[in-house]
Amino acid sequence: MLYDIRLNLRYDYDAAAGGGRHQVRVLPPTISGVQRVIAASLSFAPTPSERSDFSDFFGNNVTSIAFRDAHDALDIRMSARVAVSRPEPGLDVSPDIRRLRSQLEAVRSLSPDTPHHFLAASDHVGIDADITGYARSSAGSSVVGTAMDLCNRIRRDFTYDGEATTVHTRASDAFSLKRGVCQDFSHIMIAGLRGLGIPAGYVSGFLRTIPPPGKPRLEGADAMHAWVKVWCGRDTGWQEFDPTNGMRASNDHITVGHGRDYSDVAPIVGVLKTTGGQVGEQAVDVIPVVLEKA
């Protein structure tokens, strides 16, 4: 699939900010065998006094910006053309949890993608006894089967509610509420798998949404999405699951970044020299591109 993606993030401040510094993670990367970025751009209004672009520990694209002059709003615009071609899931040859542990012990690397980084508690995801107990009911004869069953159960047992949680909500709190958004469902799945000893991480990105038959596609109706990556053993490697929709990640999932939880891939983090609060808005367009045959 080929997509044109447009993202607009806007923040309006109650009082003018005298300065600020932020890190922005919204540019999709090229991922071997999964997606290819053909072109991408990222702009800011007002224009930052300083700007630098780099990759973080996990390989995510980061743009660091700083402002010295007063400003009462920040507008961020990203556009990209991305080709996505995920391989079809093959035969499940992943081990059970007991054999997975022995395969984990054989991994000696501490590279960014090693499963050891995705086993312990992190900022939004604790090892919670109640969530582990819930996940244990999904434990089966393979890690892939366990992850898929837990993914489907979260889709069935939890209610999507955009008002129930915030970006700061922890997995344990969302689990108690039994409601939330894609970020919460991903955190719950990660917590459950880690509690079973299965490495799991957080993926942020975009998801193409398909309007009902006969209805036009709405501009800006899409939003940033989140799903889960799971280390399924030496031979199967990392696989991705979407608990919000009860499915494996498909060619409709466009990756922006991954980490231990949301805090590693938040679209923007930083500090402002100001008083009062701020109001943020987000609009995303994921537009399939159909190329005409010559």
Side-chain angles (χ1 to χ4, degrees):
M1 292 294 297
L2 186 64
Y3 297 103
D4 280 341
I5 302 167
R6 295 194 296 264
L7 167 69
N8 181 212
L9 296 174
R10 181 175 175 86
Y11 298 90
D12 290 289
Y13 309 135
D14 290 343
R21 185 174 292 273
H22 313 278
Q23 288 189 349
V24 180
R25 290 174 171 83
V26 296
L27 280 170
T30 290
I31 304 171
S32 178
V34 175
Q35 72 180 31
R36 178 169 59 93
V37 177
I38 299 167
S41 66
L42 179 61
S43 64
F44 303 91
T47 301
S49 305
E50 301 174 16
R51 172 174 174 166
S52 62
D53 297 273
F54 62 95
S55 296
D56 66 14
F57 176 76
F58 292 113
N60 304 316
N61 291 322
V62 186
T63 300
S64 177
I65 56 175
F67 298 93
R68 298 194 188 95
D69 300 326
H71 56 290
D72 57 12
L74 173 60
D75 195 70
I76 302 170
R77 294 181 182 270
M78 187 279 293
S79 62
R81 175 165 287 191
V82 182
V84 182
S85 182
R86 293 178 181 271
E88 289 291 327
L91 183 68
D92 182 6
V93 295
S94 62
D96 60 20
I97 295 174
R98 181 184 59 81
R99 289 188 293 126
L100 180 76
R101 293 193 184 104
S102 65
Q103 292 186 12
L104 276 167
E105 291 172 358
V107 176
R108 302 298 182 184
S109 170
L110 288 178
S111 65
D113 214 32
T114 191
H116 297 301
H117 297 304
F118 302 91
L119 272 171
S122 53
D123 287 347
H124 285 70
V125 179
I127 305 300
D128 182 276
D130 291 336
I131 302 179
T132 300
Y134 176 79
R136 190 169 287 116
S137 298
S138 291
S141 59
S142 74
V143 174
V144 167
T146 298
M148 192 71 251
D149 188 75
L150 181 58
C151 175
N152 287 329
R153 288 174 61 216
I154 292 172
R155 171 70 176 86
R156 183 184 68 239
D157 296 343
F158 291 76
T159 301
Y160 192 96
D161 183 350
E163 303 298 322
T165 58
T166 72
V167 295
H168 305 293
T169 301
R170 293 176 59 82
S172 56
D173 296 324
F175 182 78
S176 297
L177 291 170
K178 294 295 185 289
R179 58 183 58 238
V181 295
C182 57
Q183 172 182 314
D184 304 299
F185 303 152
S186 295
H187 283 156
I188 290 167
M189 183 171 174
I190 292 167
L193 292 173
R194 289 181 187 173
L196 297 177
I198 300 173
Y202 185 97
V203 186
S204 97
F206 306 107
L207 175 65
R208 179 178 71 134
T209 56
I210 302 173
K215 298 292 185 180
R217 185 184 170 282
L218 300 178
E219 291 288 331
D222 301 317
M224 292 199 74
H225 192 51
W227 59 97
V228 178
K229 57 181 285 186
V230 183
W231 195 72
C232 298
R234 178 186 57 233
D235 298 320
T236 306
W238 290 101
Q239 302 293 313
E240 297 181 6
F241 302 82
D242 182 348
T244 304
N245 296 292
M247 63 185 294
R248 300 283 287 264
S250 69
N251 286 341
D252 290 334
H253 292 74
I254 304 106
T255 300
V256 168
H258 74 276
R260 293 161 297 184
D261 60 32
Y262 172 82
S263 61
D264 285 334
V265 291
I268 181 170
V269 294
V271 293
L272 286 171
K273 187 188 296 182
T274 186
T275 59
Q278 61 181 339
V279 177
E281 296 180 359
Q282 177 187 131
V284 175
D285 291 319
V286 179
I287 306 167
V289 178
V290 179
L291 299 179
E292 295 183 1
K293 295 183 179 180

